[in-house]
Amino acid sequence: MNKMWIRCMSLTAAMGIAGLAVTPGFATSMAPQNLAALAKSAQDIVVGDIARITEGRQGNLPYLEVEVNISEAIQGTPGRTLKFRQFGMQAKQPAENGRRFIGQIPSMPQFTVGESVILFLGRPSSLGFRTTVGLQQGKFTVLSGNAANAFQNNGLFKNVPTGGATLNEKQQAMLATRQGGVHAGTFIDFVRQGVQKHWWK
């Protein structure tokens, strides 16, 4: 049996165990999710800054360990800091012993030390790996006061339930946004309100 095929199948299986959707080219694909779906699937929703990033291997599986200094835990009780191991690495790795090693997984969120983020983190897999819900969809970078995910929040506010609550003008304007960054404070307040009032359970 072809050795490359065996390695490919092993990596595919590992990614499946890590809780990722896998397509034949190792690309990951996730159905678009709105804010309510992200929050419903998240174990932890945190606001903070990326404090440290390290790479390593768990057995033969590469991982990226991300440490977050938390300023607010909107959902879950992670404490003042949170660490999680995401399957894969930040960049492709050089070949070892004549083998081509793929460290970077397409569509996985990327992190930078010092980056201000809002993370919707899923539950750990059976191997202890975890990442943001919907991959890049559940990681929001706060820059110049605005929050956006890798898809510029495309479809994020479509059909989001609000429990019949009366929304202020800023919240209404945010929910009317079809694409683009939104005011981070308004976004955080809205998510906090939705979680506390159980709009998305």
Side-chain angles (χ1 to χ4, degrees):
M1 188 175 292
N2 186 284
K3 291 183 179 180
M4 180 59 74
W5 185 86
I6 294 173
R7 287 197 294 271
C8 290
M9 291 305 295
S10 297
L11 178 57
T12 302
M15 291 175 67
I17 293 171
L20 304 177
V22 183
T23 60
F26 295 137
T28 49
S29 61
M30 298 292 290
Q33 300 184 56
N34 68 7
L35 179 61
L38 294 178
K40 187 174 182 179
S41 297
Q43 176 175 290
D44 298 305
I45 303 175
V46 299
V47 182
D49 301 313
I50 305 300
R52 184 175 302 156
I53 299 169
T54 56
E55 293 181 339
R57 292 192 187 223
Q58 184 173 309
N60 291 323
L61 302 178
Y63 67 77
L64 183 78
E65 184 170 89
V66 182
E67 181 176 345
V68 187
N69 285 336
I70 297 173
S71 58
E72 179 179 359
I74 298 175
Q75 183 164 287
T77 54
R80 297 182 65 181
T81 62
L82 181 149
K83 288 183 182 180
F84 63 94
R85 286 185 175 182
Q86 176 177 285
F87 180 72
M89 293 185 175
Q90 290 274 71
K92 291 183 179 180
Q93 302 299 301
E96 297 178 2
N97 299 322
R99 297 180 180 180
R100 183 181 175 190
F101 177 70
I102 301 175
Q104 186 181 41
I105 308 300
S107 298
M108 293 292 277
Q110 301 290 295
F111 299 93
T112 304
V113 173
E115 182 180 23
S116 296
V117 294
I118 305 162
L119 304 179
F120 290 66
L121 284 162
R123 297 181 181 278
S125 72
S126 60
L127 293 180
F129 295 121
R130 71 189 304 206
T131 189
T132 44
V133 178
L135 303 180
Q136 292 177 338
Q137 297 178 70
K139 182 226 173 180
F140 297 84
T141 299
V142 179
L143 190 62
S144 299
N146 290 324
N149 62 21
F151 301 101
Q152 286 299 303
N153 300 336
N154 186 28
L156 182 67
F157 303 109
K158 184 179 181 180
N159 301 324
V160 175
T162 59
T166 300
L167 304 180
N168 60 40
E169 291 184 5
K170 290 182 179 180
Q171 291 174 330
Q172 292 176 30
M174 183 185 72
L175 289 184
T177 302
R178 293 293 170 259
Q179 187 170 358
V182 295
H183 185 264
T186 301
F187 180 72
I188 292 168
D189 288 344
F190 182 78
V191 174
R192 186 190 304 116
Q193 186 176 357
V195 169
Q196 291 177 350
K197 296 189 176 181
H198 307 290
W199 291 345
W200 307 315
K201 294 296 184 184

